[in-house]
């Protein structure tokens, strides 16, 4: 969502949460301004809150707009401990392609590189291929370890979700998990696997997840700000 710092009130998303203890305002590049409201809070006056926090909101929305997206020189996947250096070769009027050199950990991106959007689209496509290569086997290993077996695993590019588990135990994982530190990506996978047993976010679910991941609360809090760990181009 594009935000304009000049518009007031700005565009915002509202999220209701069973876990949140207080009303929370967040600004991130993917979701923009978001207001999280605990489920138990009814008829909350969002506009009054926006007025109260106007200076903070405008400052952060303006900073977000002013930061241009950069083309990366390398890609780091902490989860699978891989680090790729990127070499760019501009060839006019040629479709962009990416060659992967596994042994030297290099990517060669060649083609018409003058349109930044196309370069980034090609990079994201490449990341999704890497995610398909690595994330399903990691999830299956964890599932086997905890005797939580899912059906299909698909890799998606959801804007606001790290993962999801359907009623028929199909699990979707976001390719961006590759960019998270291992403990947080594993936490997301355990969260989705825990839904095989509990299809809700009630206390029983969190108790069960805490058995799988004793640092569950801490990891959950870290995930809320994990957008900051993403490169600006993803
Ligand atoms: Zn969940």
């Amino acid at each position: 969502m594009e935000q304009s710092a000049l518009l007031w009130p700005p565009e915002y998303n509202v999220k209701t949460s069973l876990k949140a203890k207080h009303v929370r305002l967040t600004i991130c590049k993917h979701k923009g301004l978001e207001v999280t409201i605990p489920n138990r809070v009814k008829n909350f006056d969002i506009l009054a809150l926006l007025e109260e926090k106007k200076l903070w909101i405008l400052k952060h929305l303006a900073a977000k707009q002013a930061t241009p997206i950069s083309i990366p020189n390398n890609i780091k996947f902490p989860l699978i401990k891989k680090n790729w250096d990127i070499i760019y070769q501009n060839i006019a009027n040629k479709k962009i392609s990416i060659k992967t050199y596994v042994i030297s950990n290099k990517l060669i991106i060649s083609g018409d590189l003058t349109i930044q959007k196309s370069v980034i689209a090609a990079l994201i496509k490449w990341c999704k291929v890497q995610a398909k290569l690595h994330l399903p086997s990691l999830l299956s290993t964890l599932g086997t370890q905890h005797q939580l077996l899912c059906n299909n695993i698909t890799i998606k590019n959801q804007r606001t979700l790290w993962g999801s588990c359907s009623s028929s135990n199909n699990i979707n994982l976001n390719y961006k998990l590759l960019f998270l530190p291992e403990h947080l990506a594993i936490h997301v996978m355990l969260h989705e696997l825990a839904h095989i047993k509990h299809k809700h976010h009630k206390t029983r679910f969190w108790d069960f997840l805490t058995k799988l991941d004793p640092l569950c609360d801490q990891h959950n809090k870290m995930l809320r700000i994990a957008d900051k760990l993403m490169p600006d181009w993803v």
Side-chain angles (χ1 to χ4, degrees):
M1 185 201 346
E2 285 298 314
Q3 294 273 0
S4 168
L6 300 172
L7 279 180
W8 191 267
E11 266 190 77
Y12 57 89
N13 292 320
V14 179
K15 187 175 133 190
T16 50
S17 162
L18 270 174
K19 274 223 110 184
K21 291 196 173 72
H22 310 283
V23 175
R24 205 167 55 221
L25 274 183
T26 47
I27 294 176
C28 73
K29 67 175 185 293
H30 299 293
K31 292 182 271 185
L33 178 61
E34 189 168 79
V35 188
T36 306
I37 302 177
N39 267 31
R40 60 184 167 77
V41 176
K42 303 290 172 218
N43 304 320
F44 184 78
D45 188 346
I46 295 174
L47 287 177
L49 175 72
L50 297 186
E51 269 317 313
E52 190 194 320
K53 304 282 180 195
K54 190 168 179 175
L55 281 180
W56 181 88
I57 293 167
L58 288 178
K59 186 179 144 196
H60 285 84
L61 287 180
K64 194 170 80 72
Q65 275 192 337
T67 318
I69 288 176
S70 51
I71 297 282
N73 291 320
N74 59 57
I75 295 182
K76 287 187 180 123
F77 291 148
L79 175 61
I80 56 168
K81 297 174 184 68
K82 279 271 188 188
N83 195 350
W84 306 90
D85 285 325
I86 305 177
I87 296 163
Y88 291 97
Q89 292 173 342
N90 189 36
I91 306 168
N93 302 318
K94 195 179 168 257
K95 199 174 172 265
I96 296 173
S97 65
I98 301 187
K99 271 195 184 142
T100 310
Y101 293 86
V102 178
I103 293 168
S104 56
N105 293 315
K106 278 190 177 58
L107 300 184
I108 297 191
I109 305 187
S110 57
D112 194 333
L113 307 177
T114 49
I115 301 166
Q116 196 195 41
K117 235 173 111 180
S118 314
V119 179
I120 288 173
L123 280 168
I124 290 178
K125 201 172 156 198
W126 180 85
C127 290
K128 282 188 205 154
V129 172
Q130 297 304 308
K132 279 180 189 155
L133 283 174
H134 297 283
L135 297 184
S137 57
L138 278 171
L139 185 77
S140 300
T141 307
L142 280 173
T144 311
Q145 224 173 308
H146 296 289
Q147 291 166 332
L148 296 163
L149 300 180
C150 65
N151 286 323
N152 288 323
I153 305 168
T154 38
I155 303 300
K156 292 205 171 171
N157 177 14
Q158 293 139 306
R159 253 160 51 90
T160 57
L161 288 178
W162 291 111
S164 60
C165 178
S166 75
S167 53
S168 44
N169 296 335
N170 294 322
I171 291 184
N172 290 322
L173 295 175
N174 196 319
Y175 83 96
K176 292 174 197 150
L177 289 176
L178 286 172
F179 293 97
L180 288 183
E182 192 178 9
H183 56 280
L184 292 188
I186 298 291
H187 171 77
V188 171
M189 292 186 188
L190 291 173
H191 179 122
E192 300 316 333
L193 286 168
H195 278 313
I196 291 174
K197 207 157 180 183
H198 300 287
K199 299 270 186 284
H200 51 70
H201 289 124
K202 293 177 190 159
T203 312
R204 269 180 303 144
F205 168 82
W206 294 108
D207 288 347
F208 181 61
L209 181 54
T210 306
K211 275 186 200 140
L212 306 179
D213 175 10
L215 296 177
C216 171
D217 277 352
Q218 199 180 320
H219 289 157
N220 209 30
K221 271 186 202 138
M222 286 171 166
L223 264 183
R224 282 189 211 137
I225 50 166
D227 260 351
K228 292 194 178 102
L229 303 172
M230 296 293 119
D232 58 4
W233 54 271
V234 302

